[in-house]
Amino acid sequence: MDITKVQTMDCLHFINGQFVPSESGRIFQNINPATEEVLGTVAEGGNQEVNYAVAAAQRALSGSWSKKTLQERSHILRRIGDLILARKDELALLESLDTGKPLSQAKAVDIERAAYNFHFYADYMIGLANEAYQQDEVAFHYTHRRPVGVVGIIKPWNLPLLLLSWKLAPCLAMGNTAVIKPSEWTPMTATVLMEICKEAGVPNGVVNLVHGFGTDSVGEAISKHPNVNAISFIGERKTGSAIMKSAADSLKKLSFELGGKNPNIIFADADLDEVIETTIQSSFINQGEVCLCGSRIYVERPIFDQFLAKFVTATNKLKVGDPIQKETDIGALISKEHYENVNNYLEIALKDGGRILTGGKRPENLEKGYYLEPTIITGLERTSKCVREEIFGPVVMVTPFDMEEEVIMQANDTHYGLSATIWTKDVKRSHRVAQSIQAGVIWVNTWFLRDLRTPFGGMKQSGIGRAGGKHSLDFFSEVSNITVKL
Ligand code: NAD
């Protein structure tokens, strides 16, 4: 593939099956975080574009899309997955250029998984059963599903295509239409996905995409729009709160997948080599910009020093640099603003008495781009902002513990409740601790292992609702109960 051919891309809105600029003609620049160079321009939408997109989605809902059979919709979903795989190299490159993530990770994880999300729901939707109850000789009750309607899908920048497909696939499976807003930082793969949807046979108006910003812009316009029936949002908890307020007047159905400050709990009996190998991933994959990253590491005191020595050594072997190069493990952070924000937390850590064991600075050979060495900090109290707030970068805190009850209390001492990892060979303890941790997704002796049939989501301020398997299809459908007197 000729990389230079896809190094610039201008992104337009996709409304009613056509790529269109903004009526105002406004555009903004899309910056490559690894080079700080301009990747292309992006149409900047506003109320007008959202109105057009919602109107198109409403027409398609009662028109061509509603006339497709379950089998036809499933076939289209499968075709979208196939076309994603057919354009895998191109999509992976665009994702890497847009986000700063290593190309190898985009290829192996993001694009594969994006295709699988469509393939999975193409099959899963066919097997979805409704409920039916016979009430003696009195009545027969059964449930009937229909689409929720027009769904606003608002996305973050960290796993752009993977997370968009994670919501769009079940949304389309249940016969809804969508108005999508990708993150302003990562507009490219969502734009290509619109082309793919069209080629796969998605009728005009079923998927619409409006580029732009959040507050006072496209995100808010979608959240407020009276004809948008539901919002599927992935992003920061404060944005979730703003969307909830905007959506309140029209009482929209909401699904939120929000941030996390996830504990990674390591007991002394764990297999330390396995722990280190996985903890390197759970700490620094995607520059630590994954909601599931385990940024609070708690290690039982007898192995604390040994863990730190091995963990620092393994971390120092990670190669930070040009995301396109095969050997790169850690690319660039998404933006200047985010880079400064993460660095600000490092200053806070030092002021709060923390000790940076490795990292904490820009790699010496990289002058341009938002690069930060993977960073391990110890010596922080639970009250430090670095322990309490989501940093969303390659930065982890490591803390020793003595008692099981103590580590459970520390792990739960947060307003987040997304995920947790527990490392131990003691089966009873693994269940006991797992059932005591307040998180929606809990792994024992592993991390990031997913089966798309299982429920996924956060408790406390990490989310509302669950996705995955039937859980997603429940969100994207309205269920009526029909009772027939016998
Ligand atoms: P963000 O909340 O800043 O932005 C997400 C989207 O919301 C963007 O498209 C943005 O333009 C839009 N937006 C911003 N303000 C808005 C408003 N007032 N109304 C409507 N839309 C608005 O999040 P981000 O920085 O893009 O992503 C990082 C966050 O996402 C982290 O907190 C991370 O943990 C979270 N995340 C969670 C999951 C999960 O599965 N729980 C997955 C990925 C990312």
Side-chain angles (χ1 to χ4, degrees):
M1 184 188 29
D2 182 359
I3 285 181
T4 52
K5 279 201 180 142
V6 277
Q7 282 216 330
T8 61
M9 177 178 161
D10 294 330
C11 297
L12 296 176
H13 311 299
F14 185 74
I15 299 174
N16 201 26
Q18 306 298 324
F19 283 102
V20 290
S22 287
E23 271 199 352
S24 65
R26 281 167 74 151
I27 52 171
F28 61 96
Q29 287 186 329
N30 183 22
I31 305 293
N32 179 343
T35 59
E36 301 179 43
E37 284 165 6
V38 177
L39 283 165
T41 62
V42 187
E44 184 185 336
N47 284 336
Q48 191 67 285
E49 284 70 31
V50 171
N51 286 339
Y52 290 147
V54 173
Q58 276 189 298
R59 283 195 302 275
L61 188 68
S62 52
S64 49
W65 197 227
S66 65
K67 296 189 179 63
K68 297 265 184 223
T69 63
L70 192 68
Q71 290 291 348
E72 286 169 336
R73 286 206 310 272
S74 167
H75 178 75
I76 289 175
L77 255 64
R78 175 151 293 283
R79 181 109 180 90
I80 297 173
D82 292 346
L83 290 170
I84 290 174
L85 289 181
R87 294 176 72 171
K88 182 172 158 181
D89 287 348
E90 174 199 353
L91 285 165
L93 180 59
L94 292 176
E95 206 73 307
S96 171
L97 293 170
D98 232 358
T99 58
K101 76 174 63 195
L103 177 60
S104 57
Q105 283 171 26
K107 236 184 235 184
V109 183
D110 296 56
I111 310 304
E112 284 278 335
R113 189 35 217 289
Y116 182 59
N117 285 336
F118 284 102
H119 286 158
F120 172 82
Y121 275 107
D123 294 338
Y124 197 86
M125 63 188 279
I126 298 287
L128 183 68
N130 286 328
E131 293 169 69
Y133 304 94
Q134 168 98 34
Q135 187 184 1
D136 304 318
E137 277 91 50
V138 180
F140 179 65
H141 310 265
Y142 71 95
T143 55
H144 169 71
R145 280 177 192 267
R146 67 189 92 198
V148 179
V150 176
V151 181
I153 301 184
I154 302 176
K155 305 261 58 93
W157 46 260
N158 64 326
L159 304 166
L161 191 66
L162 189 162
L163 293 175
L164 173 53
S165 56
W166 172 232
K167 298 300 171 179
L168 186 60
C171 173
L172 296 181
M174 297 317 290
N176 300 280
T177 58
V179 176
I180 298 159
K181 187 198 123 29
S183 168
E184 53 272 38
W185 301 107
T186 52
M188 296 202 292
T189 50
T191 307
V192 175
L193 183 63
M194 298 301 100
E195 248 174 64
I196 288 176
C197 285
K198 188 158 181 157
E199 194 183 337
V202 175
N204 290 348
V206 173
V207 292
N208 304 274
L209 174 134
V210 184
H211 291 292
F213 297 91
T215 311
D216 296 326
S217 180
V218 175
E220 198 171 317
I222 295 173
S223 313
K224 277 193 173 144
H225 203 292
N227 297 335
V228 170
N229 306 98
I231 300 281
S232 166
F233 170 69
I234 305 183
E236 258 241 339
R237 73 190 174 96
K238 282 188 186 148
T239 312
S241 166
I243 289 175
M244 196 178 241
K245 286 183 192 122
S246 301
D249 279 346
S250 46
L251 289 170
K252 294 187 202 323
K253 195 172 182 184
L254 299 174
S255 153
F256 284 176
E257 286 180 21
L258 309 175
K261 186 77 182 177
N262 310 304
N264 178 6
I265 301 169
I266 301 158
F267 286 95
D269 65 347
D271 177 333
L272 199 52
D273 290 334
E274 211 185 326
V275 169
I276 297 291
E277 196 185 327
T278 307
T279 297
I280 286 288
Q281 296 291 317
S282 67
S283 302
F284 303 126
I285 197 169
N286 209 52
Q287 301 72 244
E289 296 166 329
V290 177
C291 56
L292 301 168
C293 276
S295 52
R296 290 184 293 146
I297 303 175
Y298 298 101
V299 186
E300 205 170 9
R301 199 169 308 267
I303 59 158
F304 183 70
D305 291 339
Q306 198 191 354
F307 169 84
L308 273 184
K310 285 193 174 209
F311 187 40
V312 169
T313 305
T315 300
N316 288 341
K317 288 187 187 145
L318 294 174
K319 180 147 178 24
V320 186
D322 180 357
I324 304 299
Q325 299 305 318
K326 261 201 188 105
E327 61 277 13
T328 297
D329 298 301
I330 297 184
L333 298 185
I334 185 70
S335 64
K336 184 164 188 278
E337 189 184 319
H338 186 55
Y339 176 74
E340 286 170 357
N341 201 21
V342 173
N343 274 291
N344 194 31
Y345 276 109
L346 300 181
E347 282 173 29
I348 293 173
L350 291 175
K351 271 195 210 126
D352 287 353
R355 214 155 56 86
I356 294 180
L357 298 187
T358 187
K361 58 182 188 335
R362 168 183 278 279
E364 269 158 27
N365 55 336
L366 296 166
E367 275 138 37
K368 283 228 150 209
Y370 312 121
Y371 293 101
L372 179 67
E373 288 179 352
T375 304
I376 302 172
I377 305 174
T378 56
L380 286 173
E381 296 292 328
R382 321 212 300 265
T383 48
S384 170
K385 270 187 174 187
C386 296
V387 180
R388 307 200 71 77
E389 295 178 7
E390 184 184 40
I391 298 177
F392 219 54
V395 181
V396 292
M397 325 303 135
V398 191
T399 309
F401 71 90
D402 295 297
M403 308 287 291
E404 187 178 302
E405 299 73 27
E406 173 199 351
V407 76
I408 291 170
M409 187 270 291
Q410 294 207 38
N412 288 338
D413 183 20
T414 167
H415 46 253
Y416 289 112
L418 186 53
S419 74
T421 300
I422 300 155
W423 292 94
T424 179
K425 286 189 186 131
D426 180 335
V427 175
K428 283 188 183 170
R429 174 159 61 196
S430 72
H431 288 284
R432 200 167 56 229
V433 177
Q435 291 179 21
S436 308
I437 300 288
Q438 296 158 353
V441 181
I442 296 164
W443 285 287
V444 177
N445 297 329
T446 186
W447 179 77
F448 213 65
L449 185 58
R450 292 269 297 121
D451 178 326
L452 297 195
R453 293 169 299 183
T454 61
F456 176 90
M459 58 171 70
K460 294 166 39 178
Q461 292 185 25
S462 283
I464 297 180
R466 294 292 178 270
K470 184 173 169 297
H471 302 272
S472 293
L473 299 186
D474 282 344
F475 175 74
F476 287 108
S477 54
E478 284 293 359
V479 177
S480 302
N481 186 65
I482 297 176
T483 298
V484 180
K485 191 175 174 213
L486 297 175

